[in-house]
Amino acid sequence: MKYRLGYLNKKESLTLNGALDGCAQKNDERSKEFIYKKYYGYVIAVITRYIKSEHDAEELANETFIKAFKNLPKFNKVGDGEVLEKSFRGWLARIAANLSIDLLRSQKNMIAIEDIGEHDVKPVMINAADKLFAEDILKLLEQLPEIQRLIFNLYEVEGYAHEEIGKLLNIPDSTSRTYLTRAKQRLRKLYVEQFAIRKNF
């Protein structure tokens, strides 16, 4: 799915609400192009949190939009403006994340899950004055073991519940919670090593 740049400029601009209606009611190509161009960068950003290959990421982005347009009647379009924007972005992100996990599973890139219990993990001690900033976390996420990075992204960024992650990755809920705790511990350790110490100089 590739749209020609400049097509929208010849006509009156759309809103997200209008584009969604156009897609759902008339399968309107102009509305599809609007959504594709507006959210392509966002979808790519979601996918590259899971997928390293640029080619695979581009293919998954296109597949995300194909699936989204096909399933638009199932999208619960509530509100307008920022409310609708946030809801639609979250819906797109879930499609993109699910497709990314499916690809990793098909390529057998998923790291084998260890037989661990929550008792194996020490609680994370957090100093309220020591904050992890979003840009720092994004830089550090790439250094996590893959399974920890996947679960952190699914839970903290995409908003999945542990029960949903368990079904998606075929693991117990408790294992998802344990790996999330491990991911947070590892992030804090990396943060102290790479950012906090540097800021003291």
Side-chain angles (χ1 to χ4, degrees):
M1 175 184 296
K2 296 286 185 183
Y3 290 100
R4 297 188 305 275
L5 296 177
Y7 178 71
L8 283 177
N9 295 332
K10 299 177 182 178
K11 299 187 178 182
E12 184 181 351
S13 60
L14 284 170
T15 63
L16 175 58
N17 194 22
L20 290 173
D21 287 342
C23 290
Q25 297 171 10
K26 298 180 291 186
N27 197 30
D28 180 52
E29 288 299 317
R30 179 170 172 258
S31 297
K32 288 182 179 180
E33 180 188 2
F34 172 84
I35 291 172
Y36 181 86
K37 290 170 67 176
K38 181 177 176 64
Y39 296 102
Y40 182 84
Y42 172 71
V43 168
I44 280 286
V46 171
I47 292 169
T48 52
R49 290 199 290 264
Y50 304 92
I51 304 297
K52 303 296 184 184
S53 165
E54 182 178 343
H55 173 75
D56 287 342
E58 291 175 352
E59 290 294 315
L60 282 175
N62 288 324
E63 191 175 342
T64 295
F65 284 102
I66 291 171
K67 188 169 184 178
F69 292 140
K70 182 179 179 180
N71 290 281
L72 265 181
K74 299 179 182 178
F75 172 63
N76 185 20
K77 190 165 76 72
V78 178
D80 202 350
E82 292 183 9
V83 173
L84 179 60
E85 174 86 15
K86 183 177 180 181
S87 176
F88 185 67
R89 284 165 67 97
W91 187 70
L92 273 181
R94 286 210 163 209
I95 294 174
N98 284 339
L99 289 174
S100 299
I101 298 299
D102 288 345
L103 178 64
L104 289 174
R105 189 182 292 114
S106 70
Q107 293 177 340
K108 299 183 178 178
N109 284 342
M110 298 289 290
I111 295 177
I113 307 294
E114 302 170 20
D115 184 17
I116 59 175
E118 293 189 60
H119 62 278
D120 297 323
V121 181
K122 296 178 182 179
V124 181
M125 302 304 293
I126 299 176
N127 182 348
D130 184 20
K131 296 181 179 179
L132 283 174
F133 294 97
E135 60 269 23
D136 296 336
I137 292 177
L138 291 175
K139 293 176 183 176
L140 299 175
L141 276 175
E142 292 301 316
Q143 301 175 51
L144 292 179
E146 185 172 37
I147 189 62
Q148 293 181 21
R149 178 170 51 84
L150 289 175
I151 290 175
F152 184 92
N153 276 324
L154 288 169
Y155 185 87
E156 295 289 351
V157 182
E158 316 299 352
Y160 283 70
H162 285 296
E163 293 77 9
E164 293 176 299
I165 296 172
K167 291 177 182 177
L168 193 60
L169 302 182
N170 196 27
I171 60 175
D173 301 352
S174 60
T175 301
S176 176
R177 292 187 180 89
T178 299
Y179 273 113
L180 178 63
T181 303
R182 286 187 171 186
K184 289 180 178 180
Q185 287 179 323
R186 179 63 177 162
L187 282 173
R188 181 156 300 283
K189 183 174 184 294
L190 289 168
Y191 176 77
V192 170
E193 292 173 352
Q194 300 179 32
F195 292 98
I197 293 176
R198 196 180 308 164
K199 290 176 181 178
N200 289 331
F201 286 95

